[in-house]
Amino acid sequence: MCGIVGYAGKEDCVDLLIDGLQKLEYRGYDSAGIAVIQNSHIEVKKTKGRLADLVDKMETEGRLKGCCGIGHTRWATHGEPSDINSHPHGNERISIVHNGIIENYREIKEFLIEHGYSFESETDTETVLKLLDYYYKGDPIDAIAHVVKEIRGSYALGILFMDFPDRIFAVRKDSPLIIGIGENGNFIASDVPAILKYTRNYYLLEQNEIATLTEKGVDICDIHKNPVKKEIQVADWDLDAAEKGGYEHFMLKEINEQPTSIRTTISPRISDGMPYLEESGMTKEMLKSYSRIYIVACGTAMHAGLIGKYVIEKLAGIEVTVDIASEFRYRNPLITDKDLVILISQSGETADTLAALKLAKEKGATTMSIVNVKGASIARESDIVIYTHAGPEISVASTKAYAVQLSVMYLLAFELAYAKGAITKEECMRLTKELQNVPDKIQDILVLKERCQFIASRLVNAESLLYIGRGLDYALSMEGSLKLKEISYIHSESYAAGELKHGTISLVTEDMPVIAVATQSDLFEKTVSNIKEVKARGAKVTMICREGTVDDKAVANHLVTLPDMDDIMMPMLALVPMQYIAYYTAVLKGCDVDKPRNLAKSVTVE
Ligand code: AGP
């Protein structure tokens, strides 16, 4: 996934482009570049490396200057990170930046080579540029319309035409792109944080709509040049939400924002002490009608779905299948129109999850999405959407988004169980109240950071770790393992504690630390036995459990204790030490916590 920006207006655009790219670096950061129309030429500066390297390059080679330009920060898909593969791609007539993947770029490239074109880069984007050039006969909209009819895949394109030095053009399909409406000019951007400093007002571009931006305004049309009217959206994020706010990393800030994020997500969905999801369009009658529920997502969002599975099955007695989106979309799932398919996605742009949504709709299922970004593709294409209100999650490693996804899973489980008559109103209110207590409990345990820092110091040199647990603890341990891997680059594996003895325990030595989650009362003793099994083989064990359930060194080498809550709610607390341990291990290793290598915030390609 990449970040693209663009500006057409009265002001010099270079600072605006760089600032916008800075807010989008979480989307991809292996190379960066800008193109500006300057003295009747398209001038380009681009480089492998971070945005800072691009700024340095301009300092040494001379800054660009102009009122019309486009910019790009890359997460490489086709072609390794390099100067030549970085965007913008262009020639003297046209320059483009692209986020997405062109699936049929090879056949288009062959066609263009047969028509005299040559290629310098390994990217699919250069193919789009040359196809635009091939069709351009003086009308940019015509050329763009021809191109979008031919290319297949996902794209958000920012385009400059030298013949039109006062405007930029944009078109998208399946990759996000918004049109910012400013006072002194107008913007294109992959995401809201890039424009927040200049405007809160923006348009959402639909599939294959073409936008023309000038200083004076924005015209949008379809590929047949029919004008399209747009409703202005207003960003409800505040500016500092997209800043670090004094924390060393966005991840630490977002861990600490969890109490607020959970409160703002659940409060509007609780009425008279009961869960209230009707505003999303999900009525109790609908909830009662589903015979099966599928939860489909990727990564951390999928882990939230796993917690949801345990809670829904336990309380509502409805079968829940959790699928990794990239598997779901190719395994021909046996979905019917009686099923509910829930898609969880922080960004709302994850390609595999979006594809799974489309498949579920084709099969007639009701689709409901849980999304953190207003107006994101997955939200717009679902029958029902429940927005989480975590605010912008900038760090690549998801924390507060996971916490609010869990909170919606709980509300859904409570409402579903009550609608099905599986729990009484009193029980539903008690559980809802317990959920409302979570933010304060999390606030109380944020002080665990010193303890977790100490534990991290014991893990930082490990080659590999095991995370173990049973039931909800096992589901949660998957998220802990992913957090550690993705930001500290230390291998780890989440394993069902009861399954260790069937093979994996052969890995356990004094060189393999184990993190054991033991918050479930009915499984506690069994998990303690599993802890003793690994300790007997030399493992140093960190145990995450309730206060007072074990005395210090009797069972584990390190203890992280949590305040008491209902068993079913304990994952909402245990997630904090999981996140802290991963964070401080990565910091101690000197890793780039917010922008881990090889990753991007949202994977909008397959
Ligand atoms: C989370 O820490 C990861 N960065 C990643 O697994 C992420 O959860 C996954 O890519 C799904 O993203 P989404 O929620 O935006 O769909």
Side-chain angles (χ1 to χ4, degrees):
M1 174 194 78
C2 307
I4 65 177
V5 291
Y7 174 80
K10 292 180 185 138
E11 298 176 42
D12 176 67
C13 67
V14 172
D15 286 345
L16 303 178
L17 295 176
I18 297 298
D19 182 72
L21 290 178
Q22 207 163 29
K23 300 292 187 301
L24 296 179
E25 259 203 305
Y26 69 90
R27 300 175 59 86
Y29 32 86
D30 58 44
S31 49
I34 64 172
V36 173
I37 294 184
Q38 177 175 312
N39 306 326
S40 303
H41 284 90
I42 294 178
E43 300 293 344
V44 177
K45 291 289 181 195
K46 62 181 190 175
T47 182
K48 175 184 176 182
R50 294 290 171 89
L51 187 58
D53 300 315
L54 175 65
V55 173
D56 291 347
K57 184 169 187 157
M58 284 201 285
E59 292 308 320
T60 48
E61 297 178 4
R63 276 176 75 81
L64 301 182
K65 189 165 176 51
C67 297
C68 209
I70 52 178
H72 186 272
T73 182
R74 185 173 184 241
W75 182 67
T77 52
H78 291 76
E80 62 174 2
S82 67
D83 290 358
I84 195 71
N85 287 333
S86 52
H87 302 209
H89 289 277
N91 55 28
E92 67 288 345
R93 300 204 300 172
I94 302 170
S95 184
I96 73 168
V97 289
H98 168 224
N99 172 31
I101 270 204
I102 305 304
E103 292 169 355
N104 59 336
Y105 82 98
R106 286 187 185 81
E107 58 200 74
I108 294 173
K109 190 170 182 174
E110 283 163 21
F111 168 82
L112 291 166
I113 289 170
E114 285 162 14
H115 287 75
Y117 284 90
S118 59
F119 288 80
E120 292 76 44
S121 79
E122 305 158 88
T123 67
D124 53 347
T125 305
E126 190 184 0
T127 305
V128 178
L129 164 79
K130 305 263 161 90
L131 194 61
L132 268 174
D133 188 78
Y134 174 78
Y135 280 118
Y136 179 60
K137 306 284 184 284
D139 181 336
I141 305 290
D142 263 350
I144 294 168
H146 273 102
V147 166
V148 298
K149 284 173 190 163
E150 279 201 31
I151 59 178
R152 286 198 313 274
S154 60
Y155 46 87
L157 296 171
I159 311 167
L160 293 178
F161 287 86
M162 191 50 244
D163 294 344
F164 298 83
D166 66 337
R167 59 198 67 189
I168 60 176
F169 299 83
V171 66
R172 68 167 285 269
K173 175 181 165 291
D174 290 345
S175 288
L177 194 66
I178 59 174
I179 311 290
I181 315 300
E183 282 172 20
N184 299 318
N186 298 295
F187 302 80
I188 61 170
S190 298
D191 198 356
V192 167
I195 63 168
L196 265 183
K197 192 171 172 183
Y198 311 102
T199 181
R200 290 178 181 281
N201 300 328
Y202 63 97
Y203 293 138
L204 290 171
L205 214 47
E206 296 300 337
Q207 306 278 69
N208 285 336
E209 289 178 343
I210 303 167
T212 305
L213 287 73
T214 63
E215 170 193 323
K216 293 185 174 52
V218 177
D219 292 319
I220 297 174
C221 67
D222 64 20
I223 54 172
H224 308 295
K225 293 189 170 181
N226 302 313
V228 174
K229 290 300 287 169
K230 283 290 172 185
E231 190 186 312
I232 286 209
Q233 309 289 323
V234 181
D236 55 7
W237 291 351
D238 48 38
L239 190 56
D240 74 351
E243 303 292 343
K244 285 185 195 163
Y247 287 93
E248 187 183 355
H249 298 104
F250 278 110
M251 183 175 175
L252 187 58
K253 175 185 176 218
E254 289 155 7
I255 289 171
N256 282 271
E257 285 177 332
Q258 290 180 127
T260 305
S261 299
I262 294 167
R263 277 192 203 96
T264 49
T265 296
I266 64 175
S267 302
R269 282 122 184 184
I270 293 171
S271 171
D272 298 331
M274 289 288 281
Y276 178 72
L277 298 173
E278 311 258 340
E279 76 184 2
S280 65
M282 175 57 78
T283 64
K284 288 184 179 51
E285 288 62 41
M286 288 167 72
L287 278 175
K288 283 163 69 172
S289 69
Y290 302 120
S291 50
R292 267 181 320 188
I293 295 176
Y294 290 82
I295 301 177
V296 185
C298 301
T300 290
M302 187 273 287
H303 295 155
L306 280 174
I307 299 282
K309 168 186 169 67
Y310 280 95
V311 176
I312 292 171
E313 288 186 346
K314 185 181 179 74
L315 291 178
I318 298 178
E319 183 191 352
V320 178
T321 302
V322 178
D323 258 296
I324 293 171
S326 55
E327 289 297 306
F328 178 86
R329 61 187 291 201
Y330 295 114
R331 71 173 181 82
N332 189 24
L334 305 176
I335 303 175
T336 71
D337 57 3
K338 303 231 177 340
D339 297 331
L340 171 64
V341 177
I342 300 174
L343 303 116
I344 305 176
S345 177
Q346 187 286 131
S347 63
E349 299 298 346
T350 300
D352 286 320
T353 310
L354 182 58
L357 163 61
K358 290 176 179 174
L359 176 62
K361 289 179 78 170
E362 283 164 20
K363 289 180 175 277
T366 304
T367 56
M368 180 174 100
S369 61
I370 299 172
V371 174
N372 194 49
V373 178
K374 200 167 87 172
S377 303
I378 290 170
R380 301 214 308 263
E381 302 217 15
S382 303
D383 300 316
I384 290 164
V385 56
I386 295 182
Y387 281 114
T388 52
H389 303 311
E393 186 175 71
I394 307 300
S395 187
V396 167
S398 185
T399 50
K400 62 177 182 176
Y402 175 68
V404 298
Q405 288 161 359
L406 292 193
S407 67
V408 171
M409 286 281 99
Y410 282 108
L411 284 176
L412 183 67
F414 302 163
E415 178 147 288
L416 198 51
Y418 178 59
K420 290 261 184 189
I423 59 174
T424 64
K425 182 170 183 178
E426 289 66 32
E427 178 61 359
C428 191
M429 292 182 78
R430 185 190 71 78
L431 289 166
T432 304
K433 184 68 189 148
E434 189 75 340
L435 178 60
Q436 288 176 294
N437 292 335
V438 164
D440 289 344
K441 296 277 187 180
I442 288 181
Q443 194 63 48
D444 294 345
I445 62 177
L446 290 173
V447 297
L448 284 172
K449 64 179 187 179
E450 278 81 16
R451 183 116 197 80
C452 295
Q453 258 176 317
F454 169 75
I455 290 165
S457 68
R458 294 294 183 273
L459 303 176
V460 67
N461 297 315
E463 291 287 312
S464 184
L465 274 82
L466 271 183
Y467 284 73
I468 64 172
R470 289 170 176 254
L472 277 171
D473 290 334
Y474 171 44
L476 184 82
S477 72
M478 290 184 191
E479 175 55 15
S481 171
L482 175 62
K483 285 278 104 36
L484 186 83
K485 282 185 285 189
E486 66 176 327
I487 61 175
S488 75
Y489 314 146
I490 295 176
H491 175 260
S492 71
E493 184 177 3
S494 159
Y495 222 82
E499 180 67 5
L500 279 170
K501 54 188 169 295
H502 299 286
T504 300
I505 200 164
S506 68
L507 294 176
V508 176
T509 68
E510 68 277 5
D511 299 326
M512 178 174 277
V514 173
I515 295 183
V517 190
T519 69
Q520 300 302 296
S521 313
D522 57 339
L523 298 166
F524 181 77
E525 289 308 328
K526 297 183 188 310
T527 306
V528 167
S529 304
N530 300 134
I531 290 171
K532 288 176 178 168
E533 281 167 14
V534 293
K535 275 197 78 179
R537 285 142 180 100
K540 295 288 180 293
V541 179
T542 293
M543 186 177 179
I544 298 172
C545 59
R546 271 188 185 78
E547 287 152 354
T549 48
V550 286
D551 53 45
D552 219 8
K553 299 289 183 195
V555 176
N557 302 85
H558 310 294
L559 269 190
V560 180
T561 57
L562 303 168
D564 184 32
M565 291 198 89
D566 198 289
D567 268 1
I568 211 161
M569 209 54 71
M570 287 306 287
M572 292 294 291
L573 304 187
L575 64 84
V576 174
M578 287 283 179
Q579 293 164 346
Y580 268 151
I581 287 170
Y583 172 75
Y584 286 111
T585 304
V587 168
L588 287 170
K589 281 198 70 179
C591 297
D592 187 340
V593 172
D594 286 329
K595 302 190 194 83
R597 68 188 181 203
N598 307 339
L599 294 181
K601 183 59 185 170
S602 164
V603 185
T604 55
V605 294
E606 268 209 59

